Each structure stands twice: as C-alpha cells, then as structure tokens.
Amino acid sequence: MRLVLATSAIALAPASAFAVDYLSAEQAAKLMFPEAERFESHDVSLDAAQMQKLDAAGVRARSARWPVRVAQRGASTLGYVVVDEVVGKFELITYAVGIGLDGAVKQVEVLSYRESHGHEIRLPAWRRQFVGKTAASPLHIGDDIANISGATLSCSHVTDGVKRIVAVVDLARRSGALP
Amino acid sequence: MAAGSLKWFVAAGVAALLSACGGGTGGAPAAPTETALSAQASLGEQIFKDVSLSASDRQSCATCHSADTGHAGPNDLPAQFGGALLDQPGRRSSPSIRYLASNTAFHFDSEGTPTGGFFWDGRATSLQDQAGRPFLAANEMANPDLADVIAKLSRAAYAAQFREVFGADIFSRPDDAFARMTLALQQFQREDLRLRAFTSKYDEFLRGKASLSEQELRGLALFNRADKGNCAACHPSAKASDGSHPLFTDFSYDNLGVPRNPALAHNADPAVFDLGLCAREGGDMAARTDLCGAFKVPSLRNVALRKVFFHNGRFKTLKDTLTFYVQRDTNPEKWYPLNPDGSVNKFDDLPAAYKANVNTSEAPYNRGPGDVPALSDAEIDDVIAFLATLTDAVR
Amino acid sequence: MNRRLHLSTPLRRTALAASLLLAATCSHAQTATEAELARKLDQLAAELASVKAQLQQMQQQRAASPQVTQAAPAAPIAAAAPAPVATSRAEPATVLSSYGEIIYNRPTRHSEMAQADVRRFVLGFQHRFDAKTKLVTELEVEHAVTSSSDPGEVAIEQAYVEHQLAPTWAARAGLFLMPVGLLNENHEPTAFYGVERNFVETAIIPTTWREGGLQIVGSFDNGLTLQTGISTGFDLTKWDASASDGRESPLGSIHQELALAKARDLAVFGALNWRGIPGLQVGGSLFSGGASHGQAGASARVTLWDLHTRWTPGRWDLSALYSRGSISNTAALNAPLVGSATLIPQSFDGWYAQAAYKLWTHEDYVLSPFLRYEQFNTARSFADLGPGLTPGAGATERAVTLGANFQVSPGIVIKADLQNFRENKDANRVNLGLGWSF
C-alpha cells in the first residue's frame, strides 16, 4: 500500500486550473446529465448488513459513507453521480461515475490524473467500456474491461472503483436511501 | 620565479657538462624542451651516468641499463660483471628500467596473487629503494659503505648543484645525502621521457595514427589468442578503460621452469639454485615455498632491443625464447639435459621439491610431449614481427 | 424519504472536541475559578460560531454549483475557462514504493550450479512538490550483500524531476529509464511473465537501462505517447576483450548508469507508443549516440531501435518485440584487440513472441500460464579485420520459456518456469521466483 509520509487536509482554495485537473465534479455532473436543473447532495450511509452484502458480492465497500449527487429536473430524478478517488500507482485519480435510473453506468469521467503513465484511461475509448454496465457485470480487467498496457494498476483500481460505486448505488436504491 | 630560472641554469649546466665530459652512452643530445627535467631529476640524470660513484670507477647505473637496449643489459652476457676490478660475476640479467613509474611495492592483491616490487624478486619497495642498492652490492658498484658513496658524490662535477638543491651542508650528513641521491635517481626515472616514451609503432596504432602490417597484425592476434600464444594473459596488450596504454606486464610473478644457464658463474655448483621470490634477501617470503622459482613478469616494451632474456639470461634471441615457450612441454629434450637413465631432467634449474611450482596449467604450457606446439615456426615469426612494434621511436 | 444532513468529518471533530472540552471543564468545576470558567465558555461559544459559519458557507456552495453555466463539450480536456476545480489533493506528498525478486535457478544438467539469490531489492520514493512537479527516485540493491568481497551492488536506478508543462507535455530531467521495449520502463516482477526477464530485453536491450538527460513526454488524446530527448550514452572504452560480458550483452557491458559517466558524446532518442484502442499497444523507439568520447582510437556510434506490440483481448496477454543494435567503426576499434576472446560486434539483434492466458481466478488469486519463444544473437556480425583475424558471427540462441505466474494478491506474485536453449544446453534450467511490487 502507499505509505504517505506527509499530507494535509483537503484544500478549499482552487489549485492550478490546467495542470492535470481536467474537470471539476460539477462540470462532470453537468456533462453526464445535461437536462438536470439541479443536483442535490445525498449522503448514503451503509449499515453493517449492507456492507456484508457487498463483501459477499465480492465488492470491498471501503467506507460506509458515500456522498451522491442526485440529478433532478423538477420533481423527477434523472440519475446519480458519484465522485471518488482511487490510487493509481503513486498518485490519486479522481473520477466520476454517472448512473442512470436503470442502475446502468451512463458515463465515466476522469477528473484528475497525475500518474506519469496510463493517461490513456482518460480517452473516450477506454471509458466507453463502462457504459451500460450494471451491478451484475463482472467489471474486471481482463474480463469485460480491457487494460492499458503499462498502466495496469491505474486501470484495475479505477475499474474496481466503478464496480464499487455501481454496487453501492444499486444497494442504496433498493433500500430506498436514494430517491 | 627563482625555481624556473634555476631549471634553465641547471639545464644549461647539464648540457655544458655533457658536452665537456663526452661520457655516457647514446641518445641524441638533450635539447631543451618545455618538459625540461626538474632540478632533482636533472641531478638524478647526472648521478645515473656517473661512473666515478663506483669502486671500479668505470660503472654507473647507465652501464648496466643502457639506453640502446631499452635501458637493460648492454650485451649478451647473462649477467654483468661488477666489483672493484669488474671481475665479480652477477647472478641475474639486468632488467629494463623503463615503464616502472606505475609499479608499486610488493604486495598480495585481493586474490592473493603476488604483485609489484622492484628487482626480479620484488625485494625493493620503490624506485628509490632499488636505486640505492647497486651502489653497495659487492658484485655491482661495490662501494664499501654509504659514506664512501657520498664522499665520491661530493667530489663529482655536479656536487655544487647537489648542494644548491639539497642544502649546503648536505655532504656532512651522509645518510641524508644518500637518501637525497636515491630520491634524485627516482625523480629522474619518473620524469625522463625516454623511460616512459610511448612512442612505439604500437602506441601510434593504438592512437589510430598508424596501422600494423599484415604480419604484425597476425602476430598481435596470436599474442592475444587464449588458444595460441596467450601472451596477453601476463603481458596485457589492451588499453585500459581510462585510456592509458598497456605496459605489457601485470607486475605479477610466474615460474616458467627456465632451463639452468651454465654460463652463469654461480651455477657451476650443482647444489646452488636461484629460487627467486621465496629466497629473496630479507627472508620475508621464506615460508612461501610454493613461490620458489617465481620471478617478476617483465614489460615487453622494447623487448626487440634486448640481448638476453629471462632472469638468468638463458636465451639470447627472441626466436629461441618464443620457441621455448611453446615447445617446453612438447619437446622438453630440446631444452633440458638428460638424466643418466635417458629421461629428460625437466625444470633442471629447480630442486626436485619445487618442480611442481612450475606453471603447467596456462596456455601455452598446458601441452605434453608429442603434442603440436601452440605456435608454429611461421607463427613465432609473426609474433616477433609484432613484438618489434613495441620499440619506442628513437628521440 | 429521509434526508439526513451529516456533518463532514472536520466539523464533526470540532463538535466532538467542543463537547469533550465542555465535559472536561465541568469535571474540574470545583477547582477552576469563575473567571476561568467564563473564559472557557467564551472560547466554546466562539468555536461554535465559527462551525456554524463554515456550515453555512458549504451549504451556500452546494446550492450555488448547479447554476454554473453549461460550458465544457464532451471532450476530456477542460476548456481554459477558470472554474472551481475538483477537490483533488495537490499538496506535497511523499510516497514510498518498492519491488523485489527472490529467485531460485537450477540448471537441469548441472545441478551443482543451482543458486538462490535476492536478485533485487528496490526502494523508491516519489515526492510531489506541487501540482506540477514531482521527484521520482529508485534505489536498488542486487544480490543481497554488498561489500568488496561480496557479489552485491547498490545502484541508483532512477532520480529525475518531472514537471508538467501543459496538459499534454511534461518534461523530465535527471536519471530516467529509457523508453525502449516493453520491459524497460515496466520492469517490476508483477509486470512480466517468467522468473527471469526475457533475454532479448536483457542481452540486446540492456534492461534496466537508464541514462541521464532531458526528456519531453507528450501524451495526446488520440492515444499516442511521444517521448524524446537528449541523454548520456554508452562507453566503448569499457569494452573488456578478455571477459565474456560483451558476448552476453554488448550494451550491458558498456553502459555507464550515470556513474562518473563519460559525457563528451551525448545521444538522442525517441519513442512513440499508441494505445488508442484499449487493450492494444503498438510502439517503437530509436536511440543513437557516440560512444568513444574522444578517448578511443576511432570514433564510434551506438544505435539501437525496437518495435513492439502488446494485445490483451479478454483473458489473453499477447506480446511481440524485435530489437536491433549496431556499432559503427568497429574495425578500427577491434584492430588492437585482435585474437582476444570477445571483440566488439558490428550488429546484434533479437525478437520474441509471448502468449499468456489468465487460466484461473478466485478473488485475488490469478493463475496465468505463459509460453515465450525468443531468438537473439549478441554478435550477429563483425566488421572485417582481414583474413584469419575476423571473428565468426556468434550463434543465434533460441530460448523457449514455459511457465506460470501466480498472483497471490495484487502486488505479490509467485512464478515458476522451465527454460530450454538450443545452443547452450548446459543453461537449460528450472526457475522459481517470488516477487513483490507496490
């Protein structure tokens, strides 16, 4: 695992706009649901039973708390956007997953990527592989998701992350935690 | 600067002295160059050539280390004569003193191989140490003691220079004066360009400025090839990675089982053996009987100028020497006397107990009677042609 | 529907601290003076006020965000419009990494030559100075114990600074890995099949090959990655004609690894890799630089190029590579070395094809058998030195490796394989290995 020797709290001030931060969470959400009027924040909290269910399904839940942005137009819900961070090899990769009402992945966007290798995961070709995946899909490198040569860790960690988010949102919808 | 003008004065003085004396052997008169010798070295040069520093009044360092033969023995005697009447026979041939500046004191390297040291048995620790010993050796310059040498030095033509460089009262302190004298000799050997010229055809070839003839190139190949001459194993021929040109010796020791030389006076007594490394003066290697019969690997630079080969001067031509190397084991009867029972007394210059020390494992010594020698006659000629390229251009 | 508002972690902590402080204060009520009590109450009130203010600010931010005007098109690169950015951590951080291999080799015909070795133990760290700049380093210890009488070696494998110039362009300066082949930049034990690294990428491409210099990296949206730059090169004066190192790996025996490297002659290099289709990589590289540094009898140039591809459809992992190196003016360099055991070759090359299949997976366990076929010749040709003096070309060696990688956990791999050679049958061997990488 990464041993981070020194880190400080999340910065609230804007960092460099162009460096390796490609999209903000808000921009990504708007891309995924252009017809949405607003995004409401819901925090999904999984209880112990739900965490166990996830583990049984082969998904490591990682944390019990998941902030979800619910895309809404008027009174109806269009879908959900979850922003998450995973480690590539050394650096954090920030990405967003957009899920439709049917529980299938609508879009995946990479918000920031800082690793020296594997920038190709930002390409539409790689992200397109996730469109239509559900909680029932394997979502596994070498299975239904192709790897980027030389960036195996970034690819598998992001794929695991998408799988996790899809499973969490699916559970939350079934339990009524999400509109 | 005072030192600079002193240098010029000394150089001028040396030139005047040399032309006046008309003594010393060969070489073009030293023309002043940018690399003129330092004060100490120029004194050393004069001491080197000064025959008055010997008991016989006819022998200097230059007498036995003649520039004509690459600063090695001047004639084909196996050992030079010395003493007050020049009638005391020496025990070993005079080695070349060129290309010794990088040699170190005797030691065992990280693999336990004996390396370094001056003289055939490495008993002197430096050029300075070696330079002092012939002055007091009974069969060489044969001075009775150190004080005698200094007394002679104080009467030399360059004594005033000596005082100038080392102090006005130096001759009143004979031990110090002797140390300064040998220091000057060492400095001369380190600075003089004739002793480290690197002006041979082979050096130019390494610089990319000359090319070897076909025969010379064939000879180099045979010299290098591990399955033919394998000479480069002890006489390295390749440039070092820092760009320095090869000295054709690794300053190590080897026991070749060279045949006994009846022309050497001390060999008249069949019980006497020159055992080299293990029997050297001081007795520090007496316990290493595995090294009995081992002698220093000499440099092959200017080997074509030499008149005798090996520590006992047993061979007088390169042809004989190289033929011995490759036919020692395939035709031992050519080199060694026969025993009463008709068998060959191989390695006759070693007592029976130490014959096992002889190198029989490395090529070309690893063949047996009746085998084809590692080099044919024509190939030996090729190697000799190559060795001729190691002669420094005359300056 | 429930709509619970949870305090974020920092606020929660502050609230907890506040309540604890209050409790602590209460328990010491008997000993504290009234003034102190009052002071502490004021302190608590102030903290609570600031917490409320922060909460309000965050609520406002969340309410305000959906009103940001529609801007970015569906392209991955953001427009130049200044916008609040993602909460990615851009502060300096130091990350430790490591990889290592422990290997057992047993020649099948010469079991007396069996050996076990901590082949390499590598520690690296990456330190990020700011959002655009980081330092990448790696330190390697080979063969466990290093001293004058032990076989080990300690070496710096990487030490470079990478700076992001623009979204597409980054620059690296320092000691970096050369972008050549499939293995050189990705040489961790978890990244390749087989206990030992393949021969083509050790004998022809001297993995792990690093040079010092300046490199520009361009990462394009069509999947192309361009890497080019100027670096140090090889040193032909290091060629030892009496040793066999040059026959095992010509470039491996003359690499400098930026250790008091001769640098009069610099080299240029370029590499292009395309990964536009997920699961497919096609690429190549070219390197060329002088290697005499004005110190050899003749000036000579070392050139190395390679072409490679890797395709991972489904459970398959297929790769192929060809590489060729050449040295100019070797006739002049070899002339003083005629007859010696190992002369400088004029050209050397090799290729391999490899197939691996993810046969069995269970949770994190993955078993991947593989087969690799390689052909290489470290002395494909020699320059003519004259009759009887020119060495004959080396024999082309063929190696077949059959084995499997077993992943115990992502980052830990156990490997076993069998290697068979056509020329040097004495080298046929069984290998076992344990590797880690994080």
Side-chain angles (χ1 to χ4, degrees):
Chain A
M1 254 325 186
R2 291 167 67 243
L3 175 66
V4 179
L5 297 180
T7 180
S8 42
I10 298 168
L12 293 175
S16 162
F18 76 80
V20 284
D21 298 325
Y22 302 104
L23 289 175
S24 70
E26 292 73 24
Q27 286 172 320
K30 245 327 184 169
L31 271 176
M32 294 174 185
F33 297 102
E35 332 78 50
E37 283 174 348
R38 65 187 186 287
F39 291 87
E40 284 179 354
S41 293
H42 283 251
D43 278 321
V44 171
S45 231
L46 302 171
D47 59 30
Q50 286 169 317
M51 301 270 280
Q52 271 176 358
K53 237 199 237 174
L54 280 176
D55 273 332
V59 175
R60 263 151 296 177
R62 200 184 69 190
S63 80
R65 233 197 89 254
W66 288 91
V68 178
R69 293 157 201 251
V70 181
Q72 296 190 312
R73 187 189 177 81
S76 57
T77 303
L78 300 174
Y80 317 95
V81 177
V82 181
V83 177
D84 187 28
E85 279 174 334
V86 287
V87 167
K89 188 164 182 194
F90 300 103
E91 316 265 8
L92 287 174
I93 305 169
T94 313
Y95 64 106
V97 182
I99 300 176
L101 282 175
D102 54 354
V105 175
K106 209 165 175 291
Q107 198 170 333
V108 170
E109 290 291 336
V110 174
L111 305 187
S112 87
Y113 191 80
R114 237 178 230 102
E115 295 282 359
S116 300
H117 301 278
H119 70 100
E120 294 87 4
I121 72 168
R122 287 179 28 241
L123 298 182
W126 194 77
R127 293 181 290 113
R128 208 177 294 131
Q129 299 180 94
F130 293 97
V131 172
K133 297 289 179 189
T134 64
S137 316
L139 277 170
H140 195 71
I141 290 286
D143 219 319
D144 54 340
I145 307 287
N147 195 23
I148 299 284
S149 177
T152 311
L153 286 176
S154 294
C155 289
S156 36
H157 294 167
V158 169
T159 306
D160 285 345
V162 173
K163 186 180 172 77
R164 186 161 43 235
I165 288 170
V166 167
V168 165
V169 166
D170 186 57
L171 253 182
R173 276 182 50 243
R174 283 180 210 282
S175 70
L178 283 174
Chain B
M1 274 223 317
S5 52
L6 177 64
K7 241 191 247 182
W8 283 113
F9 176 83
V10 164
V14 166
L17 277 170
L18 279 177
S19 53
C21 297
T25 46
T33 64
E34 306 85 274
T35 53
L37 297 176
S38 68
Q40 280 192 20
S42 96
L43 271 172
E45 187 175 18
Q46 295 173 89
I47 295 165
F48 190 84
K49 296 176 172 150
D50 190 355
V51 295
S52 75
L53 295 175
S54 60
S56 61
D57 209 29
R58 283 179 285 163
Q59 201 172 53
S60 67
C61 314
T63 310
C64 297
H65 297 285
S66 162
D68 287 341
T69 56
H71 287 83
N75 50 44
D76 65 357
L77 291 173
Q80 302 301 307
F81 283 86
L85 301 171
L86 293 185
D87 60 353
Q88 298 302 306
R91 293 171 56 89
R92 295 173 184 157
S93 63
S94 305
S96 166
I97 56 166
R98 291 191 186 180
Y99 298 105
L100 287 176
S102 62
N103 192 18
T104 62
F106 182 85
H107 63 281
F108 290 96
D109 73 6
S110 59
E111 281 148 36
T113 311
T115 313
F118 297 81
F119 288 115
W120 281 107
D121 56 15
R123 65 186 184 273
T125 57
S126 63
L127 284 171
Q128 180 181 14
D129 185 13
Q130 185 277 323
R133 300 198 194 202
F135 286 101
L136 305 171
N139 59 1
E140 293 178 84
M141 290 156 88
N143 292 293
D145 58 29
L146 185 152
D148 196 68
V149 178
I150 297 307
K152 290 178 174 136
L153 187 61
S154 66
R155 292 190 292 271
Y158 48 86
Q161 248 173 276
F162 199 88
R163 272 194 210 94
E164 227 180 297
V165 174
F166 295 115
D169 65 335
I170 189 65
F171 292 121
S172 63
R173 294 175 283 127
D175 285 327
D176 289 348
F178 193 81
R180 304 293 183 276
M181 181 187 79
T182 51
L183 192 66
L185 281 167
Q186 172 175 275
Q187 205 53 31
F188 160 66
Q189 289 177 81
R190 281 198 182 146
E191 286 182 29
D192 190 85
L193 286 178
R194 279 166 301 178
L195 295 174
R196 55 184 177 99
F198 294 106
T199 52
S200 68
K201 183 175 179 185
Y202 186 68
D203 289 306
E204 289 301 294
F205 167 66
L206 288 177
R207 292 182 190 113
K209 299 207 176 95
S211 52
L212 299 185
S213 72
E214 273 185 32
Q215 188 188 31
E216 290 162 351
L217 211 54
R218 280 202 308 274
L220 173 57
L222 294 165
F223 187 93
N224 286 338
R225 277 176 62 174
D227 60 333
K228 297 297 282 182
N230 198 31
C231 320
C234 295
H235 300 281
S237 61
K239 277 210 300 194
S241 69
D242 65 354
S244 55
H245 284 201
L247 298 179
F248 285 86
T249 173
D250 57 359
F251 298 116
S252 67
Y253 294 77
D254 205 0
N255 185 340
L256 301 183
V258 178
R260 196 177 175 88
N261 189 354
L264 277 174
H266 66 263
N267 280 342
D269 180 355
V272 167
F273 294 95
D274 185 356
L275 291 177
L277 202 45
C278 75
R280 71 183 186 189
E281 180 189 282
D284 60 327
M285 297 289 284
R288 291 295 303 265
T289 55
D290 58 318
L291 297 174
C292 287
F295 292 88
K296 174 95 75 58
V297 173
S299 168
L300 294 183
R301 285 181 168 273
N302 298 294
V303 71
L305 295 177
R306 297 220 246 286
K307 304 223 156 86
V308 290
F309 302 97
F310 295 125
H311 67 281
N312 60 3
R314 174 66 175 79
F315 298 109
K316 298 187 188 190
T317 65
L318 271 177
K319 181 89 182 211
D320 286 341
T321 308
L322 296 192
T323 312
F324 166 72
Y325 266 104
V326 299
Q327 292 186 12
R328 181 192 82 181
D329 304 287
T330 60
N331 300 82
E333 67 286 350
K334 273 170 93 167
W335 313 103
Y336 302 102
L338 294 177
N339 288 321
D341 66 358
S343 62
V344 179
N345 183 11
K346 217 171 163 199
F347 309 143
D348 64 330
D349 206 14
L350 284 168
Y354 300 136
K355 292 195 192 206
N357 293 347
V358 176
N359 189 340
T360 50
S361 55
E362 284 179 78
Y365 321 122
N366 52 2
R367 301 185 187 211
D371 283 346
V372 176
L375 296 174
S376 71
D377 203 58
E379 288 171 336
I380 289 175
D381 288 336
D382 290 346
V383 175
I384 291 172
F386 162 67
L387 291 175
T389 68
L390 302 181
T391 306
D392 288 321
V394 175
R395 317 180 92 249
Chain C
M1 61 188 111
N2 286 336
R3 203 185 138 180
R4 287 179 292 181
L5 194 65
H6 279 254
L7 293 175
S8 71
T9 313
L11 294 176
R12 211 195 279 167
R13 282 205 197 115
T14 315
L16 182 62
S19 53
L20 276 175
L21 192 55
L22 193 57
T25 315
C26 289
S27 69
H28 290 284
Q30 288 167 350
T31 51
T33 64
E34 273 188 35
E36 200 164 340
L37 256 177
R39 190 182 55 74
K40 285 189 175 157
L41 277 172
D42 284 343
Q43 198 177 27
L44 280 172
E47 279 181 19
L48 200 53
S50 87
V51 164
K52 276 188 184 165
Q54 280 188 1
L55 197 56
Q56 215 175 13
Q57 191 185 29
M58 286 182 68
Q59 275 181 316
Q60 275 170 1
Q61 270 191 349
R62 281 187 188 160
S65 52
Q67 284 154 18
V68 169
T69 48
Q70 169 78 284
I77 303 288
V85 292
T87 55
S88 45
R89 296 183 198 155
E91 304 76 20
T94 310
V95 181
L96 217 62
S97 65
S98 167
Y99 73 86
E101 299 170 354
I102 301 179
I103 290 177
Y104 175 80
N105 309 102
R106 190 186 180 98
T108 50
R109 295 181 185 205
H110 292 275
S111 59
E112 74 275 9
M113 303 294 288
Q115 75 176 16
D117 185 34
V118 180
R119 186 62 53 82
R120 38 186 68 84
F121 180 95
V122 179
L123 274 178
F125 69 81
Q126 192 177 228
H127 179 80
R128 180 161 282 285
F129 292 87
D130 59 44
K132 292 197 265 179
T133 319
K134 65 181 179 185
L135 169 71
V136 178
T137 70
E138 234 178 58
L139 177 74
E140 180 192 47
V141 178
E142 285 185 356
H143 312 306
V145 186
T146 305
S147 79
S148 61
S149 49
D150 285 301
E153 239 183 64
V154 178
I156 308 287
E157 251 189 34
Q158 296 180 70
Y160 67 89
V161 172
E162 181 170 306
H163 183 78
Q164 198 78 26
L165 300 166
T168 323
W169 299 99
R172 293 178 187 163
L175 176 67
F176 47 75
L177 297 172
M178 297 301 280
V180 178
L182 289 168
L183 197 60
N184 202 47
E185 283 181 302
N186 264 323
H187 49 266
E188 296 81 11
T190 47
F192 61 91
Y193 295 98
V195 176
E196 304 278 2
R197 297 168 176 180
N198 72 74
F199 286 95
V200 179
E201 291 191 270
T202 42
I204 308 297
I205 299 174
T207 306
T208 317
W209 179 19
R210 61 258 190 192
E211 298 287 355
L214 177 65
Q215 180 180 161
I216 306 291
V217 182
S219 313
F220 302 100
D221 288 335
N222 52 11
L224 268 176
T225 308
L226 168 71
Q227 289 167 272
T228 182
I230 296 178
S231 71
T232 52
F234 297 97
D235 176 13
L236 275 166
T237 66
K238 278 174 88 162
W239 189 275
D240 186 353
S242 57
S244 61
D245 300 9
R247 187 55 75 106
E248 280 166 22
S249 173
L251 295 184
S253 68
I254 58 174
H255 65 182
Q256 305 201 74
E257 297 174 308
L258 217 62
L260 291 178
K262 295 180 185 160
R264 176 189 178 277
D265 295 337
L266 296 178
V268 291
F269 65 92
L272 207 57
N273 279 282
W274 181 68
R275 296 181 181 87
I277 297 175
L280 178 64
Q281 176 191 358
V282 178
S285 71
L286 176 64
F287 167 94
S288 181
S292 317
H293 308 284
Q295 292 185 10
S299 85
R301 168 169 290 272
V302 172
T303 305
L304 182 73
W305 60 269
D306 95 284
L307 289 172
H308 54 263
T309 180
R310 185 169 174 209
W311 185 33
T312 54
R315 296 182 150 225
W316 287 97
D317 188 341
L318 309 169
S319 51
L321 177 147
Y322 173 78
S323 179
R324 182 185 163 94
S326 55
I327 305 178
S328 71
N329 232 343
T330 51
L333 293 172
N334 278 335
L337 305 171
V338 281
S340 304
T342 317
L343 296 191
I344 304 172
Q346 189 177 62
S347 68
F348 39 94
D349 65 355
W351 65 271
Y352 72 82
Q354 176 179 275
Y357 185 76
K358 208 182 288 191
L359 185 65
W360 175 76
T361 61
H362 175 68
E363 284 169 22
D364 279 335
Y365 299 134
V366 181
L367 178 68
S368 308
F370 72 94
L371 177 66
R372 180 171 65 236
Y373 180 91
E374 334 179 38
Q375 273 198 7
F376 57 99
N377 191 330
T378 54
R380 179 72 69 180
S381 67
F382 284 94
D384 186 46
L385 293 169
L389 300 175
T390 310
T396 301
E397 179 64 279
R398 183 214 67 188
V400 176
T401 309
L402 174 67
N405 277 19
F406 181 70
Q407 174 185 290
V408 170
S409 166
I412 306 271
V413 64
I414 295 177
K415 310 192 213 181
D417 62 55
L418 189 61
Q419 289 189 304
N420 195 280
F421 301 91
R422 174 174 65 193
E423 298 298 319
N424 185 12
K425 294 199 189 302
D426 288 337
N428 289 0
R429 59 186 177 181
V430 171
N431 305 313
L432 295 174
L434 168 69
W436 75 85
S437 172
F438 65 84

